[in-house]
Amino acid sequence: MSEPIAVVGDVMLDVDLIGHAGRLSPDAPVPVLDDVVTRSRPGGAALAATMAAAGREVYLITPMVDDDAGRELQRLLPKGVRLVALPGSGETAVKTRIRAGEHALARIDRGSAQVLPTAVPDEAAQALAAASAVLVADYGRGLTADPRMRDLLAITADRRPLAWDPHPRGRPPVPGTTVATPNAAELFALSGAAGSTRLAGAAAAAGKLRAQWQLPWLSATLGERGALLDHAGGHFLVAAEPATGGDPCGAGDAYAAGLTGALADGALMTEAVQHAVSVAGDWVRYGRAAVVPTARLDGAAAAVADRVRARGGTVVATGGCFDLLHPGHVAVLQAARAWGDCLIVCLNSDESIRRIKGPDRPVQSERARAAVLSALACVDAVAVFGEDTPEQVLRELRPDVWVKGGDYSATDLPEAPVVRSWGGVTATVPYRTGLSTSALVDKIRLTG
C-alpha cells in the first residue's frame, strides 16, 4: 500500500434523487419523475479523501457537526479514510441534485454557509506529520481562513508536498504551497484576468495567479481539453482523452486527489499532472469505480447502473473472488459483458473469502483485486460485498442479467430465485478446463 496522505478541507453530503421522466405534469410544464431512487455520497473534501483512499490510508481533517447529515456522511466514508474531526459550529451542508436519468433538473442546497472549527486538536498536527503529501480541498466554508489551521498548514508545506484546490470564496494558499489546482472558471475569477476560451488566455491567467500566490507550480484544469501546468520556465499542456456520457461532477476532486497521490509516491510534477488528467477522465468516463474501485454499491455500481438504465440499456452482473486473475476469469468476464451494456462485478471481500476458503486466502487484498478488475475494458464497475453470498448486493443492484461461470444449468444457480424476483434472468458461461486459482496457489507454493 502507498504512503498515507492527508486531506484538509470542508465536507458536505451529496444526495442524488434519480428518476425516470416519461411525462409532463398536467399542472405545470415540468417533468414527472417515476421510480425515484436516492443515492448519497461524501461531498467536498470528503469526496476527495474517498477518491484518494484507493490503495492508501487517508487522514481527513475537517470540522464536523453532530447532526443527521454529519452522521450520514461519516457512515459513508470508506475504511481507508481516518476521520480527524475538528469540533465545528453550524450545520452540515447538504447538496441535493434532482436528476432524470443522466440529466440534472435542479439542485437544492441546505445547511450553514460556514462550518467553523472551534478548536484544532493535536491529532490534526499528528496526522499532517504522518502524511507524505497533503491536499487542501477548499470549498470556501471557513476552514482555510482559520489562523490556527493556516499556521499548521504553513509548517507542513515546508516539509512535504502540499496541493491547494482553491475556491473563489476561499483563502489564498499558505506560503510554501507546492501547487494550486483551480479549474478554468476559478482560474479567471481568482486571477482577475478576462475569461477566454483560448489556451493563450488560460496560460496568461495561470502565470498571473501563480505569481500572485508566489507558487512554484500552478495546474489549471480545462475540462475536456486536459490541464495546463504553469511554472517559472513556461507552460506544459496535458491533453485529455475524450470522455463523454458521464457525470463531470466531482472530476475536479478526482484530479486533485490523483495529483496529490502521485506527488506522495515521488512523481515529478509533470508526471503527477499526467496521472491526474487520466484519473479525472476515468471519473467522467466510468464513474466512481474508476477512482474508488472498492466503493460500496451506493457509489460506483449504482451510478453505472443508473446511467445504463436511463438510456434503456441492459445491466449485467457477475460475481466471485477473482483472487489470482487468470485467462479463465477473463473469458467469463468478456462473455458476461456481451450480454448487455455494462458489466458490474460483485466481488467477495477479504473477510468473506477467509470465511469461505480459509485463513490463507485471499492471496491479494480486495483493493488489489478490485483495481485489477477495474482495469479490464470489459468491466464497468466493481461492488465489494462482505456477506458469504451476493444476494444482498444483488437486491440493491437488481441486474437485468446475472452471469456465472460453471458447468451447472442457469436455473440451478443459487442466486437464480433472487434475480427472478424482479424479472431478471440468469446465464452461465462454461469455465475453461484446467484453470483455477486454487491450482495456481498450490503451484506457486510448490515452486516457491
Side-chain angles (χ1 to χ4, degrees), residues 5-6 59-61 82 84 122-132 134:
I5 70 172
Y59 301 97
L60 173 58
I61 305 171
R82 288 185 53 183
V84 180
D122 292 342
E123 186 182 1
Q126 294 166 1
L128 289 172
S132 55
V134 176

Side-chain angles (χ1 to χ4, degrees), residues 308 313-318 331-343 378 400-404 410 424-430:
V308 170
T314 298
V315 176
V316 183
T318 189
V332 170
L333 293 169
Q334 290 174 332
R337 181 61 174 80
W339 276 88
D341 301 287
C342 73
L343 175 61
C378 57
D400 302 298
V401 185
W402 171 248
V403 181
K404 285 284 287 184
V425 298
T426 55
T428 61
V429 177

Side-chain angles (χ1 to χ4, degrees), residues 205-431:
K208 179 179 179 181
L209 186 59
R210 182 185 59 80
Q212 178 182 321
W213 282 349
Q214 299 181 21
L215 302 174
W217 303 93
L218 187 138
S219 177
T221 57
L222 305 177
E224 66 276 3
R225 289 187 173 185
L228 177 72
L229 178 62
D230 180 86
H231 62 110
H235 309 294
F236 179 75
L237 179 66
V238 176
E241 295 183 9
T244 59
D247 184 359
C249 181
D253 295 296
Y255 181 88
L259 184 143
T260 306
L263 292 177
D265 293 336
L268 299 174
M269 185 61 70
T270 51
E271 295 171 331
V273 170
Q274 290 173 324
H275 173 72
V277 167
S278 176
V279 169
D282 283 348
W283 171 269
V284 177
R285 192 175 297 110
Y286 303 119
R288 189 186 190 92
V291 183
V292 194
T294 59
R296 298 291 168 167
L297 182 62
D298 56 7
V304 170
D306 289 340
R307 288 202 298 271
V308 170
R309 287 198 179 99
R311 298 194 298 265
T314 298
V315 176
V316 183
T318 189
C321 301
F322 299 98
D323 196 0
L324 294 178
L325 200 67
H326 56 66
H329 289 140
V330 175
V332 170
L333 293 169
Q334 290 174 332
R337 181 61 174 80
W339 276 88
D341 301 287
C342 73
L343 175 61
I344 298 170
V345 178
C346 302
L347 184 68
N348 290 75
S349 69
D350 293 347
E351 294 85 351
S352 173
I353 293 177
R354 278 192 285 269
R355 289 195 302 269
I356 297 169
K357 296 183 177 290
D360 293 336
R361 299 283 298 276
V363 176
Q364 299 190 96
S365 71
E366 63 192 59
R367 290 185 179 277
R369 291 181 286 122
V372 172
L373 287 167
S374 296
L376 297 178
C378 57
V379 175
D380 297 275
V382 178
V384 180
F385 65 93
E387 298 78 23
D388 292 345
T389 69
E391 287 191 16
Q392 182 56 41
V393 73
L394 285 174
R395 291 184 190 278
E396 298 179 38
L397 182 60
R398 298 170 70 87
D400 302 298
V401 185
W402 171 248
V403 181
K404 285 284 287 184
D407 299 327
Y408 36 76
S409 166
T411 56
D412 294 333
L413 288 173
E415 302 84 9
V418 178
V419 176
R420 284 198 300 267
S421 68
W422 55 78
V425 298
T426 55
T428 61
V429 177
Y431 275 133

Side-chain angles (χ1 to χ4, degrees), residues 171-188:
R171 292 293 304 276
V174 297
T177 295
T178 309
V179 59
T181 61
N183 62 31
E186 293 163 345
L187 172 65
F188 290 114

